Amino acid sequence: MSASAERVLHLPEKDKHGIVQTLCRQYVSPDEVRDDPREATCKRCLEISRDDEQRRFDAEEDHYGESL
């Protein structure tokens, strides 16, 4: 299987009626989605997930007024 034919696995954002909207705003079937970021292969989904995690970390730091 060539690199271009390899299946891309996404991180989910919403699931509605058996169609999943991914973090990178694509609509895919449930078999193309993984909940665990270690299993996902979509670079855009992983980037968005890391950015969200960093924003949550920054918000906690700001909330308490000091660095963790």
PDB file of all heavy atoms in Angstrom, residues 31 38 44 57:
ATOM      1  N   ASP A  31     -15.561   4.467  11.216  1.00  0.00           N
ATOM      2  CA  ASP A  31     -14.358   3.624  11.173  1.00  0.00           C
ATOM      3  C   ASP A  31     -13.102   4.399  10.799  1.00  0.00           C
ATOM      4  O   ASP A  31     -12.001   3.866  10.832  1.00  0.00           O
ATOM      5  CB  ASP A  31     -14.560   2.422  10.245  1.00  0.00           C
ATOM      6  CG  ASP A  31     -14.744   2.807   8.797  1.00  0.00           C
ATOM      7  OD1 ASP A  31     -15.286   3.891   8.534  1.00  0.00           O
ATOM      8  OD2 ASP A  31     -14.351   2.007   7.930  1.00  0.00           O
ATOM      9  N   ARG A  38      -3.134   9.067  20.188  1.00  0.00           N
ATOM     10  CA  ARG A  38      -1.978   8.249  19.789  1.00  0.00           C
ATOM     11  C   ARG A  38      -2.286   7.377  18.580  1.00  0.00           C
ATOM     12  O   ARG A  38      -1.375   6.932  17.895  1.00  0.00           O
ATOM     13  CB  ARG A  38      -1.516   7.387  20.958  1.00  0.00           C
ATOM     14  CG  ARG A  38      -0.961   8.218  22.110  1.00  0.00           C
ATOM     15  CD  ARG A  38      -0.675   7.366  23.286  1.00  0.00           C
ATOM     16  NE  ARG A  38      -1.968   6.850  23.772  1.00  0.00           N
ATOM     17  CZ  ARG A  38      -2.145   6.206  24.894  1.00  0.00           C
ATOM     18  NH1 ARG A  38      -1.121   5.963  25.659  1.00  0.00           N
ATOM     19  NH2 ARG A  38      -3.331   5.791  25.270  1.00  0.00           N
ATOM     20  N   ARG A  44      -3.691  17.602  10.927  1.00  0.00           N
ATOM     21  CA  ARG A  44      -4.490  18.781  11.284  1.00  0.00           C
ATOM     22  C   ARG A  44      -5.281  18.524  12.582  1.00  0.00           C
ATOM     23  O   ARG A  44      -5.333  19.381  13.454  1.00  0.00           O
ATOM     24  CB  ARG A  44      -5.425  19.136  10.129  1.00  0.00           C
ATOM     25  CG  ARG A  44      -6.230  20.374  10.358  1.00  0.00           C
ATOM     26  CD  ARG A  44      -5.346  21.620  10.293  1.00  0.00           C
ATOM     27  NE  ARG A  44      -6.167  22.771  10.597  1.00  0.00           N
ATOM     28  CZ  ARG A  44      -5.861  23.678  11.521  1.00  0.00           C
ATOM     29  NH1 ARG A  44      -4.721  23.600  12.154  1.00  0.00           N
ATOM     30  NH2 ARG A  44      -6.662  24.676  11.768  1.00  0.00           N
ATOM     31  N   PHE A  57      -4.674  24.656  29.408  1.00  0.00           N
ATOM     32  CA  PHE A  57      -3.585  24.800  30.366  1.00  0.00           C
ATOM     33  C   PHE A  57      -3.351  26.282  30.675  1.00  0.00           C
ATOM     34  O   PHE A  57      -3.215  26.665  31.837  1.00  0.00           O
ATOM     35  CB  PHE A  57      -2.311  24.165  29.818  1.00  0.00           C
ATOM     36  CG  PHE A  57      -1.139  24.263  30.741  1.00  0.00           C
ATOM     37  CD1 PHE A  57      -1.013  23.411  31.827  1.00  0.00           C
ATOM     38  CD2 PHE A  57      -0.156  25.224  30.527  1.00  0.00           C
ATOM     39  CE1 PHE A  57       0.069  23.503  32.685  1.00  0.00           C
ATOM     40  CE2 PHE A  57       0.920  25.325  31.382  1.00  0.00           C
ATOM     41  CZ  PHE A  57       1.040  24.463  32.464  1.00  0.00           C
TER      42      PHE A  57
END
